């Protein structure tokens, strides 16, 4: 690798490191962690298509995290009164999860905030650059997903 190529790779690595260190995905709002907000939004989305409610496995798949991680988040959300858990009437081994009224309120606030932030980003970049960014980020995601699969071999 020549010096110019190394400089380009180093710049790319530094940019990704800035995102890794950014607190915007970890900040606490409304008394709960960002990971808990993402879980609430996932539950809301799952429940939109399944009137019986979500389960840990559904949420885990949607957020691409392990079931034990989701189980811990569910305990916290239950303690905050944001979700209610019940035994599935169809399968007593399954627990269904639904948002409480307070959980619905928080997801509404979160979605409003996300829309505001990403609308501002779109307005700042303009349509063409926004479309390019989305396309590039999709390519980056696909590359890292494929590269991580190679690591498992």
């Amino acid at each position: 690798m020549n010096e110019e190529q190394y400089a380009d790779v180093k710049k790319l690595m530094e940019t990704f490191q800035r995102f890794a260190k950014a607190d915007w995905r970890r900040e606490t709002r409304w008394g709960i962690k960002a990971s808990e907000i993402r879980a609430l939004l996932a539950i809301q989305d799952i429940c939109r298509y399944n009137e019986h409610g979500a389960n840990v496995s559904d949420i885990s798949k949607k957020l691409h995290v392990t079931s034990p991680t989701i189980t811990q988040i569910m305990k916290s959300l239950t303690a905050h009164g944001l979700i209610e858990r019940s035994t599935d009437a169809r399968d007593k081994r399954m627990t269904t999860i639904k948002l409480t009224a307070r959980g619905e309120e928080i997801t509404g606030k979160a979605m409003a905030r996300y829309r505001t932030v990403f609308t501002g980003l779109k307005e700042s970049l303009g349509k063409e650059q926004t479309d390019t960014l989305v396309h590039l980020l999709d390519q980056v995601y696909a590359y890292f997903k494929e590269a991580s699969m190679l690591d498992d071999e």
Side-chain angles (χ1 to χ4, degrees):
M1 179 179 301
N2 67 35
E3 218 172 291
E4 184 179 332
Q5 290 170 325
Y6 176 74
D8 289 343
V9 169
K10 185 177 179 196
K11 195 183 327 179
L12 189 58
M13 288 169 51
E14 288 170 351
T15 299
F16 273 85
Q17 287 172 350
R18 280 197 306 271
F19 274 98
K21 292 178 184 177
D23 286 338
W24 62 276
R25 286 193 44 100
R26 289 188 289 271
E27 64 184 20
T28 299
R29 287 199 176 274
W30 308 294
I32 60 174
K33 300 174 191 168
S35 59
E36 294 168 336
I37 293 170
R38 287 190 297 275
L40 288 174
L41 292 169
I43 294 165
Q44 182 184 52
D45 192 48
I46 292 164
C47 289
R48 193 173 289 131
Y49 302 103
N50 181 354
E51 77 239 14
H52 299 291
N55 63 47
V56 169
S57 177
D58 295 333
I59 302 163
S60 175
K61 287 176 190 166
K62 184 153 191 72
L63 296 177
H64 305 283
V65 296
T66 65
S67 290
T69 299
I70 295 300
T71 299
Q72 289 304 309
I73 291 172
M74 294 304 104
K75 286 179 183 177
S76 176
L77 293 175
T78 301
H80 282 93
L82 300 173
I83 62 168
E84 38 189 47
R85 301 159 103 175
S86 58
T87 303
D88 189 317
R90 297 170 297 157
D91 183 348
K92 301 292 184 203
R93 298 168 296 169
M94 295 290 292
T95 300
T96 56
I97 302 161
K98 292 185 178 182
L99 299 177
T100 63
R102 180 146 157 53
E104 290 282 355
E105 177 188 335
I106 297 293
T107 58
K109 288 178 180 180
M111 282 307 299
R113 173 147 171 74
Y114 290 149
R115 282 190 196 105
T116 299
V117 167
F118 284 99
T119 298
L121 178 60
K122 181 181 182 245
E123 289 172 358
S124 175
L125 294 175
K127 177 155 178 43
E128 187 176 325
Q129 282 187 308
T130 298
D131 291 345
T132 300
L133 177 62
V134 168
H135 177 73
L136 290 171
L137 289 174
D138 283 342
Q139 286 182 307
V140 167
Y141 177 80
Y143 171 79
F144 281 123
K145 185 175 181 180
E146 186 176 313
S148 70
M149 289 171 62
L150 296 176
D151 288 345
D152 293 339
E153 294 178 357

